[in-house]
Amino acid sequence: MRSIVDNKIKAGLSALAIALISTSSFAQDKVELIYSDTVSETDIRSELLRTEFGGCLGAEFDFKPYFGATLFKQGTELTAMQRGNLDMAGLAIYDFQNQVPATSILGAAYLYRGYDHLRAVTHSDVLNDLWGEVESVAGVKVLANPYIGTRQLNLRGDKKIMTPADLAGVKLRMPGGEGWQFVGKALGASPTPMAFTEVYTGLQTGAIDGQDNPLPADKSMKFYEVTNQIVLTDHLVANNQFSISMSKWNSMSEPQQAKVQECAFNFEAALDKETLAQEAVLVDFFKSEGLDVYAPDKDAFRDHVLGEYLNSDFSKDWPAGLLDKINAL
């Protein structure tokens, strides 16, 4: 009898051990994806990332997003990805500029005529060679280019800004990096580097006179509380490069890669829809908050800015014929 009981106990323990090993193996087989972003955890972009990308991945993945630049500071994510310390990030096109100078064309102000033109370009094959160079040189794969809104000027004070000349001497916060700073200079302002998380205080104290961001970001960061006007320059149809390191990408199976790509497009579509919906109502919102919202002489801005780019060293790095291909779409 004892022998039978002992055998049953052994059999039970063996089954338990197998189950534990199987569970452990399953956990280890999960693909961990660590993501970093500078936007706040409550920003709609963060919410949609969790639901439309993270929720889309399924049980085979362990998606771990960090927001508010709590894991890596703005502008340091690419290096972290290349060192194997970070798997994914929402990068800016200027992050690639030092390593892949040809990408500077995609950061040029007034490159895109609007959202529809942006999508015509990014959903075509005209950028395939450029993204291929990013993969081989920078070690990063751009999965999608979610639209985060068109950048506008947001300023303290009541001085009307109708042409680039009106921005002379205005301390305009721009993200750090040569590409971002050139945008501010090309607009006619005095660009001032400052981290995104410091902008509200910078405006509040007068350390800067203004900043440029899409309207949804102005609202989510409450910049309207410490500014007086929004100038609808439409100078940058902003989109992030939703990216994954090539080392992480290459470590996954083809079905896993296909799933990540599917979910990236899912996130892009959801954020596009939300951003466009917000932009459609936010002008009225800012007016209701007491801000002066108006359009400047956009032709004057466009002509001045494009002239600055074409006469700069940036345009020397642009791939031959790519600007014509983009303009033709």
Side-chain angles (χ1 to χ4, degrees):
M1 182 69 178
R2 178 177 294 179
S3 175
I4 294 175
V5 172
D6 288 345
N7 288 338
K8 286 184 176 181
I9 291 174
K10 290 178 180 178
L13 289 173
S14 297
L16 178 61
I18 292 171
L20 289 173
I21 291 171
S22 177
T23 302
S24 174
S25 176
F26 176 75
Q28 291 175 0
D29 288 340
K30 273 195 169 189
V31 178
E32 182 181 66
L33 295 175
I34 299 175
Y35 175 91
S36 178
D37 208 322
T38 189
V39 299
S40 69
E41 189 163 359
T42 57
D43 191 288
I44 187 62
R45 285 177 277 180
S46 305
E47 295 176 18
L48 289 175
L49 179 71
R50 284 189 291 258
T51 58
E52 305 302 323
F53 179 74
C56 165
L57 289 172
E60 194 174 355
F61 293 85
D62 183 14
F63 182 55
K64 296 179 178 178
Y66 294 83
F67 303 106
T70 55
L71 189 61
F72 292 100
K73 292 182 180 179
Q74 185 178 30
T76 67
E77 300 95 340
L78 177 59
T79 300
M81 294 169 75
Q82 292 170 331
R83 291 176 176 174
N85 298 323
L86 180 66
D87 300 318
M88 300 186 69
L91 301 174
I93 195 63
Y94 303 106
D95 291 334
F96 299 115
Q97 187 171 310
N98 287 337
Q99 298 177 40
V100 189
T103 58
S104 66
I105 189 173
L106 300 185
Y110 293 109
L111 175 69
Y112 300 116
R113 298 186 294 273
Y115 167 78
D116 290 338
H117 186 216
L118 165 73
R119 278 293 158 256
V121 173
T122 58
H123 289 175
S124 72
D125 61 359
V126 300
L127 300 181
N128 286 1
D129 289 344
L130 194 56
W131 295 141
E133 187 176 356
V134 168
E135 291 181 16
S136 60
V137 176
V140 166
K141 181 177 182 63
V142 176
L143 297 167
N145 301 272
Y147 175 62
I148 59 173
T150 297
R151 295 178 84 97
Q152 318 287 0
L153 297 180
N154 176 215
L155 306 169
R156 290 160 45 96
D158 57 6
K159 178 186 177 182
K160 284 281 187 179
I161 305 296
M162 298 305 295
T163 68
D166 296 327
L167 282 173
V170 172
K171 293 178 291 184
L172 184 67
R173 175 270 173 181
M174 301 297 297
E178 188 179 2
W180 280 115
Q181 294 296 295
F182 187 80
V183 173
K185 177 179 177 294
L187 287 168
S190 297
T192 303
M194 182 178 287
F196 185 63
T197 52
E198 300 172 5
V199 174
Y200 186 97
T201 302
L203 290 166
Q204 189 176 42
T205 61
I208 51 175
D209 300 317
Q211 59 91 30
D212 87 312
N213 260 298
L215 299 183
D218 291 341
K219 184 175 187 292
S220 68
M221 296 300 289
K222 299 185 178 182
F223 294 147
Y224 60 88
E225 295 180 345
V226 287
T227 54
N228 305 100
Q229 57 174 306
I230 290 177
V231 189
L232 301 173
T233 48
D234 293 340
H235 56 276
L236 266 178
V237 181
N239 61 108
N240 283 341
Q241 281 57 62
F242 188 63
S243 306
I244 187 169
S245 71
M246 287 303 297
S247 58
K248 174 60 71 171
W249 180 258
N250 290 332
S251 72
M252 297 188 294
S253 66
E254 288 188 9
Q256 289 169 339
Q257 291 175 346
K259 188 62 178 178
V260 169
Q261 183 64 76
E262 173 197 339
C263 296
F265 284 144
N266 193 55
F267 170 57
E268 178 187 88
L271 185 51
D272 281 14
K273 182 179 179 180
E274 176 64 27
T275 301
L276 291 168
Q278 286 195 41
E279 287 185 312
V281 300
L282 282 178
V283 167
D284 287 339
F285 168 79
F286 291 125
K287 287 181 177 179
S288 73
E289 291 293 321
L291 273 68
D292 188 13
V293 184
Y294 60 93
D297 183 342
K298 293 184 184 179
D299 288 338
F301 268 98
R302 183 180 297 104
D303 292 344
H304 181 268
V305 168
L306 291 177
E308 289 287 310
Y309 271 98
L310 292 175
N311 291 322
S312 73
D313 289 336
F314 289 105
S315 62
K316 297 176 183 177
D317 295 319
W318 295 356
L322 183 56
L323 181 60
D324 291 335
K325 291 178 181 178
I326 290 173
N327 288 337
L329 291 173

